[in-house]
Amino acid sequence: MSFDSLGLSAELLRAVADQGYSEPTPVQRRAIPAILAGRDILAGAQTGTGKTAGFTLPLLQRLSRSPAASGRRKVRALILTPTRELAAQVGESVQTYGRYLPLKSAVVFGGVKINPQIQKLRAGVDVLVATPGRLLDHVSQKTLDLSAVEILVLDEADRMLDMGFIHDIRRVLALLPEARQNLLFSATYSSDIRRLADRLLNAPEQIEVARRNTAAERVSQVVHPVDRERKRELLSYLVGSGDWRQVLVFTRTKHGANRLCKQLEKDGIRSAAIHGNKSQGARTRALADFKNGAVRVLVATDIAARGLDIDQLPHVVNYELPNVPEDYVHRIGRTGRAGNEGRALSLVCVDEHRLLKDIERLLKRDLPRESIAGYEPDPSIRPEPIQKGRGGRGSARPGAQRGSGRRQGGRAAADSRPQGRRRQARAG
Ligand code: AMP
């Protein structure tokens, strides 16, 4: 099936051809005609299914075909996303697919100056991509008028609810005209999503393109058991010996991401960290450097990685297992996308056996264990509790002091321990 049969205009087909897409993905096949027909949509589609083009193309066509009210341009399509990165990526897609149409778009999200966004909104915008918090900032500053919105898209709605945006979403809904088209995209269907869908959608076309855990089936997964203090060394070894050029590495904490990134740099592996404490500029730069190959390892926390669109990522490494098993599925969904073979590796230490069990329960299967020669875990090492939240693991040990003394102790320990362990392991 080609794009020509979906009812898209010549301008949009040209933009699609520029991208080199030969045929629509399953979500596009279903969503595009339904949206063009003016229907509401409830789509269960993850990142990587082509969902962005699935709603952007028909949305642009509807706006370009129906005339706007005369006078200053007002926002006619509003796309809400959970994260800044996703907003930026959707904004890029709107630009890309709309390049031959006389429509204007803008992206607004927090963490950057508001004034340039205000200028852009003042100049008139047809399509606005936004994260909920900054959108409401604009509303309260009266720099944004939502009274002419005809199409609302909630992208990754499950993520928005996970991140606590439900109240913001309700506030936004109250600002929109009653008569409008609503498109809801969500990777998962919790009861909260169903409630939101019931409230929001009018006789929606339901589209289900990928079952929830398909990434788990498509991606080859392996667990490398290793001691907690030797994970970094093993990671450097894997990156170097496998000559990996592009690997996304997950840590549990922001602090852990920064620390790992510095250590990898010391090992001569160009790395960047991406997490919520980084400025928007730093995050955008890190992602661009990773995409263009200047950086080999991108170290990310779960929240920062959501919605990242990185093509054909060959390797994903769980440097630390996530506390929430569903996050594991989201993480490994970053590899093996759009039919490409992907490999997800988890470096698992004795502290994480319970987390691993939870993940295997969710996947309904055991993951294969493969020890790497020279990195076999030392069976005498006892599990330690996993530190949640700030600080990261490895910095707090039983009996360690709080405050700066603890940090120093942690650093000294991190420097000296691997050697000691290696000697021990060899001796044993
Ligand atoms: P999404 O699920 O929207 O995040 O899209 C995932 C990736 O698929 C993006 O890099 C798109 O550029 C790409 N893509 C979207 N539609 C198609 C298509 N019809 N054929 C090939 N790639 C596509």
Side-chain angles (χ1 to χ4, degrees):
M1 182 191 203
S2 79
F3 271 97
D4 302 1
S5 54
L6 293 176
L8 292 170
S9 67
E11 293 87 348
L12 290 166
L13 290 174
R14 196 168 149 209
V16 166
D18 288 352
Q19 292 303 298
Y21 304 160
S22 50
E23 54 176 41
T25 65
V27 70
Q28 291 164 359
R29 238 171 274 162
R30 297 273 317 274
I32 291 172
I35 298 171
L36 288 177
R39 293 201 51 185
D40 280 7
I41 296 278
L42 173 61
Q46 297 177 332
T47 306
T49 54
K51 67 184 165 65
T52 315
F55 63 75
T56 305
L57 290 166
L59 172 156
L60 291 170
Q61 173 145 329
R62 280 181 68 78
L63 297 190
S64 69
R65 288 289 163 89
S66 70
S70 57
R72 199 166 66 83
R73 278 173 202 260
K74 286 187 183 171
V75 174
R76 297 170 63 202
L78 174 63
I79 304 170
L80 286 182
T81 74
T83 63
R84 306 159 182 187
E85 280 78 14
L86 186 59
Q89 280 166 10
V90 172
E92 267 174 39
S93 295
V94 172
Q95 289 277 343
T96 303
Y97 301 128
R99 61 157 63 120
Y100 302 116
L101 294 172
L103 296 169
K104 291 199 172 177
S105 65
V107 182
V108 303
F109 47 70
V112 295
K113 288 194 188 119
I114 200 165
N115 280 341
Q117 297 177 352
I118 294 175
Q119 304 290 333
K120 196 126 198 226
L121 292 174
R122 275 216 189 104
V125 163
D126 302 284
V127 181
L128 180 63
V129 186
T131 53
R134 179 55 68 91
L135 183 81
L136 288 167
D137 289 345
H138 281 286
V139 169
S140 63
Q141 292 199 27
K142 303 215 173 357
T143 49
L144 175 63
D145 177 358
L146 295 175
S147 67
V149 170
E150 299 162 31
I151 306 175
L152 170 72
V153 183
L154 297 185
D155 192 14
E156 303 205 354
D158 49 347
R159 295 269 145 226
M160 284 198 264
L161 298 193
D162 286 351
M163 292 168 77
F165 284 137
I166 187 66
H167 300 294
D168 285 351
I169 291 173
R170 287 209 186 105
R171 286 176 60 202
V172 173
L173 293 181
L175 298 165
L176 305 179
E178 280 281 309
R180 55 166 202 270
Q181 187 175 12
N182 300 292
L183 316 175
L184 191 152
F185 287 77
S186 181
T188 58
Y189 287 137
S190 63
S191 50
D192 286 342
I193 287 288
R194 295 222 168 266
R195 258 198 301 281
L196 180 66
D198 285 346
R199 250 193 73 185
L200 188 69
L201 305 175
N202 179 20
E205 165 106 358
Q206 299 213 19
I207 300 173
E208 190 69 50
V209 289
R211 275 187 303 113
R212 189 171 171 186
N213 294 336
T214 42
E217 291 152 7
R218 201 174 57 235
V219 174
S220 90
Q221 300 162 73
V222 64
V223 169
H224 295 312
V226 61
D227 291 337
R228 81 175 76 80
E229 304 294 355
R230 298 196 65 201
K231 283 189 177 186
R232 196 266 304 142
E233 210 185 321
L234 175 56
L235 177 60
S236 292
Y237 166 75
L238 290 169
V239 171
S241 62
D243 196 25
W244 295 351
R245 296 279 138 198
Q246 224 186 14
V247 50
L248 180 61
V249 175
F250 285 95
T251 60
R252 265 192 297 267
T253 65
K254 300 169 194 172
H255 178 74
N258 282 338
R259 193 176 41 187
L260 177 61
C261 184
K262 282 198 195 119
Q263 290 170 330
L264 290 172
E265 286 274 330
K266 274 193 197 147
D267 289 347
I269 297 171
R270 287 296 315 277
S271 309
I274 187 162
H275 56 65
N277 282 4
K278 294 262 173 187
S279 70
Q280 187 53 41
R283 292 208 241 174
T284 309
R285 219 167 25 249
L287 187 59
D289 284 347
F290 184 60
K291 283 187 175 183
N292 69 27
V295 152
R296 284 170 84 175
V297 176
L298 187 65
V299 187
T301 55
D302 289 288
I303 300 251
R306 273 168 200 169
L308 282 188
D309 175 22
I310 305 163
D311 282 342
Q312 305 178 5
L313 205 50
H315 297 100
V316 166
V317 173
N318 295 301
Y319 186 76
E320 294 164 329
L321 291 181
N323 292 321
V324 181
E326 281 79 4
D327 281 345
Y328 175 88
V329 178
H330 287 294
R331 287 178 177 191
I332 69 167
R334 310 275 123 212
T335 180
R337 293 169 57 177
N340 294 298
E341 267 286 301
R343 206 165 152 72
L345 301 88
S346 301
L347 310 189
V348 177
C349 71
V350 67
D351 309 341
E352 298 173 303
H353 286 174
R354 193 189 53 76
L355 297 179
L356 182 58
K357 281 232 146 48
D358 291 345
I359 289 165
E360 291 180 326
R361 198 170 303 132
L362 176 74
L363 299 176
K364 297 196 174 60
R365 69 183 172 101
D366 289 344
L367 296 176
R369 270 72 163 166
E370 279 174 24
S371 289
I372 304 280
Y375 293 89
E376 296 88 350
D378 173 353
S380 70
I381 295 174
R382 303 266 62 92
E384 289 181 11
I386 290 169
Q387 302 292 309
K388 292 202 175 162
R390 303 169 72 86
R393 285 178 346 87
S395 54
R397 319 235 131 244
Q401 301 289 310
R402 292 205 143 266
S404 60
R406 182 186 97 175
R407 289 233 302 289
Q408 275 175 6
R411 208 177 302 137
D415 288 340
S416 63
R417 206 161 273 144
Q419 291 281 336
R421 294 227 188 260
R422 236 170 300 157
R423 256 179 254 123
Q424 254 178 32
R426 286 212 190 99

